[in-house]
Amino acid sequence: MNQVSFELVHHLPKGETEVFEIDSRDEAWVRLLVSRPTERLVANLHTRWALLRIGKVTMPTTINEAEYENSYVCSPYTGCVLYPQSEVKKLGSLPLRFFILALVRAIGPVLRASHINRVVCINNWLLSTNLYDSFDVRTIPEMTRIIASRFPKHAICFRSLNEVTNRTLLRQVHSSGYLLAPSRQVYFFDGKSGDYLRKQNNRFDRKLLGESEYRVIRHEQFAACDAVRIEQLYRLLYVDKYSEHNPQFTAEMIEECRRCNLLTMWGLRSADGRLDAVVGTFTREGVMTAPVVGYDTALPKRLGLYRILMSIVLQEAARLKLKLNLSSGASQFKRIRGGVPCIEYTAVYCQHLSFFQRMAWQSLALLTQKVGAPILQRYEL
C-alpha cells in the first residue's frame, strides 16, 4: 500500500513564490494553485492549502473555516443555499420554486450555526468539476484518520464523484464511512465511440462551424494579451448570465493556465481580430471537462457561438477518444446532442465531529438524496 503524507502550505509575502519539491506529473498545476493568494486566481475565493500525497499522486487540498462569500467550489453553504436560489428560476413549476426557496432559506441558518463551511476538501482544483488521478483507494481510511487528527473540527470531503468515472473511489469512500450527498446532474459523452457525433444537432453544429465567418484559434495561437478578454467573456456567461457563485477566474489564472498548457484553449476570432468566444478544457486520466467557456452574450444568437464552442469540444473528445464530462447546466442542449445524465456526489466524512455538526451533515445528505436528486432527474436539470 502506498504511503500517505499530508502537509500544510504557507504562502510567502505577496510577490514571492514558494518553492517546494513535488514528485508528480501535476507539478505545474499544484505550483500555480499554492504559490500565491487564491484571490489572485479566483476572485471570489479565499482558502488555505495543503498537499496530500499518496504514492506519486499529489492532490491539492483546500481548508476553510467560514468564508460564506466563497464560490461553491470551496463553500458547501454556497452550494446548498446560495446557488440553488439563483438556479431555481430554471424550474417551470411555480409551486416547486416556492418550495425550494423556502427550504433553502430555512436550512441556511442551521447550516451556518453548524459551521458547515469548516471543511477540508481533497483534490480540489478550484474548477467546477474536479478530475481524479488513479491512486490506491485502500489508503482512504488512513488518509481520513491523518486529516481528522489534524483538523478535528473540520468535515473532510471529495467533490465531483460519479458512477461513470469514479465508481471504485465512490464505493471506497462510502465503505469508509463517508456520506454521499447528491450535488448536481452532469452530462457525459463517450468519445471512445464518438457515436454522439452522428446526432442531427451535432451535424447542424458542425455545419454552422464550417460556414461561420469566425476563424477558429487554437491554443498556440493565443497570446498573453488575450487573457483579459477571456476573463471578460467567461464572466459574461458564467457569472453575469448564470450565477455570481460560479468560480470567477481572473486573467492572471487564465494566462498561467495558457502559458503552462494546464488548460487547452480554443477561440473564435472575428475578421477584425476581436476574440468573441473561448473554451478551455482540462484533461486527466482519459477524462476531459470544459471549466472555461465564454462568449460575447451581446452578439446575436444566430451566430451560434456556444454551439460552435461545444462542437469543437465534442469533436476533440472523439478525436482523442476521451470521456467528456460536460458538467451541469444547459441540460436540454446536451441531451439532444447525446449527453447521458449522471448524478454527481460530494462525499463527506463527519464521524469525528460534534453531535450537532454530524446531525447537520447527515440531514443535508438525506435531504439531497430524497429531495434534491429526484428534482434533478424529474426536471432533467
Side-chain angles (χ1 to χ4, degrees):
M1 188 179 295
N2 289 315
Q3 184 177 2
V4 179
S5 69
F6 184 77
E7 60 187 82
L8 294 175
V9 174
H10 302 283
H11 291 296
L12 295 176
K14 188 175 182 180
E16 299 182 30
T17 301
E18 186 163 4
V19 179
F20 47 88
E21 296 300 322
I22 303 175
D23 181 17
S24 169
R25 62 192 175 96
D26 297 315
E27 179 174 350
W29 255 114
V30 175
R31 285 183 182 274
L32 170 62
L33 292 175
V34 306
S35 65
R36 66 203 75 189
T38 320
E39 298 92 327
R40 286 172 51 183
L41 303 173
V42 185
N44 59 339
L45 209 56
H46 178 74
T47 191
R48 287 191 293 153
W49 287 105
L51 299 180
L52 174 64
R53 291 189 178 92
I54 301 177
K56 292 186 177 181
V57 175
T58 301
M59 291 185 273
T61 299
T62 55
I63 304 160
N64 283 91
E65 302 293 336
E67 294 90 25
Y68 291 104
E69 73 284 356
N70 267 355
S71 167
Y72 69 87
V73 298
C74 279
S75 169
Y77 179 83
T78 300
C80 296
V81 177
L82 301 181
Y83 203 95
Q85 291 182 46
S86 61
E87 288 286 285
V88 74
K89 61 181 180 291
K90 297 179 182 179
L91 293 172
S93 169
L94 194 59
L96 185 58
R97 287 191 201 180
F98 283 124
F99 169 73
I100 292 175
L101 284 174
L103 181 63
V104 297
R105 288 170 180 167
I107 67 173
V110 177
L111 296 183
R112 290 181 72 119
S114 64
H115 306 290
I116 202 73
N117 273 9
R118 191 175 284 167
V119 64
V120 175
C121 187
I122 298 165
N123 193 62
N124 195 359
W125 300 88
L126 308 187
L127 304 176
S128 55
T129 303
N130 289 325
L131 301 182
Y132 288 79
D133 265 332
S134 295
F135 67 96
D136 189 349
V137 298
R138 295 174 301 170
T139 61
I140 287 176
E142 174 67 7
M143 173 211 74
T144 303
R145 184 193 64 77
I146 291 172
I147 297 175
S149 67
R150 295 285 296 274
F151 294 94
K153 296 182 179 181
H154 286 65
I156 304 167
C157 75
F158 292 84
R159 288 179 47 238
S160 309
L161 299 181
N162 64 78
E163 288 280 358
V164 176
T165 57
N166 312 115
R167 180 170 296 177
T168 302
L169 177 55
L170 200 58
R171 297 286 187 273
Q172 183 62 51
V173 293
H174 186 53
S175 66
S176 300
Y178 283 71
L179 303 171
L180 297 182
S183 55
R184 58 182 187 164
Q185 187 158 248
V186 298
Y187 289 84
F188 276 96
F189 296 80
D190 186 1
K192 291 183 179 180
S193 69
D195 290 345
Y196 57 80
L197 291 179
R198 293 197 288 270
K199 292 280 186 180
Q200 185 178 58
N201 290 87
N202 286 326
R203 295 202 303 271
F204 288 160
D205 293 345
R206 289 197 298 277
K207 182 181 179 182
L208 180 63
L209 171 59
E211 296 174 349
S212 174
E213 296 182 358
Y214 280 97
R215 179 164 57 98
V216 177
I217 302 300
R218 300 186 65 84
H219 185 90
E220 62 274 10
Q221 296 172 298
F222 283 90
C225 59
D226 290 319
V228 172
R229 176 60 170 167
I230 294 171
E231 177 190 0
Q232 180 186 29
L233 294 173
Y234 173 83
R235 286 188 62 89
L236 285 172
L237 181 63
Y238 267 79
V239 181
D240 297 345
K241 183 176 180 179
Y242 290 148
S243 175
E244 63 180 337
H245 305 300
N246 282 317
Q248 298 176 17
F249 302 128
T250 66
E252 181 175 348
M253 180 168 182
I254 290 166
E255 170 53 17
E256 287 294 317
C257 288
R258 181 202 67 85
R259 185 178 63 83
C260 298
N261 297 309
L262 304 177
L263 296 178
T264 301
M265 314 289 288
W266 287 269
L268 300 177
R269 202 178 292 279
S270 66
D272 61 3
R274 187 182 65 251
L275 186 66
D276 282 344
V278 65
V279 60
T281 62
F282 180 50
T283 303
R284 297 158 62 81
E285 293 280 325
V287 184
M288 174 191 286
T289 186
V292 174
V293 182
Y295 62 88
D296 190 335
T297 54
L299 293 174
K301 289 187 67 175
R302 61 178 172 78
L303 295 175
L305 297 178
Y306 183 74
R307 289 171 56 193
I308 293 175
L309 292 176
M310 292 302 101
S311 181
I312 291 171
V313 174
L314 289 168
Q315 290 182 74
E316 189 67 7
R319 184 182 74 84
L320 297 174
K321 298 190 180 304
L322 301 171
K323 281 192 182 298
L324 174 62
N325 182 336
L326 213 46
S327 195
S328 61
S331 57
Q332 180 63 14
F333 177 96
K334 294 168 185 175
R335 282 175 181 269
I336 63 177
R337 285 163 176 79
V340 178
C342 180
I343 292 294
E344 183 180 273
Y345 297 88
T346 295
V348 180
Y349 186 84
C350 61
Q351 293 185 15
H352 60 299
L353 301 181
S354 69
F355 175 79
F356 186 41
Q357 287 178 290
R358 291 199 311 274
M359 289 301 100
W361 277 112
Q362 290 168 5
S363 299
L364 186 59
L366 185 64
L367 189 63
T368 56
Q369 291 167 8
K370 300 300 184 182
V371 178
I375 289 175
L376 292 173
Q377 293 169 325
R378 168 68 177 81
Y379 291 92
E380 299 184 347
L381 297 177

